Amino acid sequence: MCIRDREYCRTGCSDCEGLCPNHVPIANIFRYQMYFENYEDEKRAMKSYSDLNQNITACIGCDAPCDRGCSYGLPVAAKLQAAHQQLSFA
């Protein structure tokens, strides 16, 4: 497995979401981050994130079971925090 494999969330996988006690739409958040970073569609990414009923603020204080659920070894919780910083209107 190359280093890049531990950075990229696979579309349609959603293994980690089943372990999230807060029902955070992890795959959607990572998709919005992809819009921001890879497609340079920052406005769409930030708007989509702000429209979510549930964002990663529900993750504060969580023990990150999502990290254990990723079949590819992604640091899901850390990636969610980075996405929140990038996609939040603040």
Side-chain angles (χ1 to χ4, degrees):
M1 184 181 300
C2 74
I3 298 294
R4 178 80 172 124
D5 288 343
R6 291 187 172 238
E7 297 174 8
Y8 174 70
C9 179
R10 278 74 172 174
T11 303
C13 172
S14 301
D15 287 349
C16 60
E17 285 188 9
L19 295 175
C20 179
N22 299 304
H23 309 290
V24 172
I26 298 168
N28 287 343
I29 294 170
F30 289 158
R31 186 173 68 249
Y32 303 151
Q33 188 177 35
M34 181 183 65
Y35 296 160
F36 191 101
E37 292 179 345
N38 300 103
Y39 301 131
E40 298 178 5
D41 197 351
E42 294 91 351
K43 185 176 182 178
R44 176 183 180 191
M46 295 174 83
K47 172 78 168 95
S48 296
Y49 185 69
S50 72
D51 287 346
L52 287 175
N53 289 329
Q54 180 82 319
N55 66 30
I56 74 136
T57 56
C59 302
I60 296 169
C62 183
D63 69 348
C66 54
D67 281 346
R68 296 185 297 278
C70 182
S71 302
Y72 299 95
L74 292 178
V76 177
K79 290 182 70 59
L80 284 172
Q81 290 174 6
H84 180 72
Q85 289 180 337
Q86 190 175 49
L87 300 173
S88 294
F89 290 105

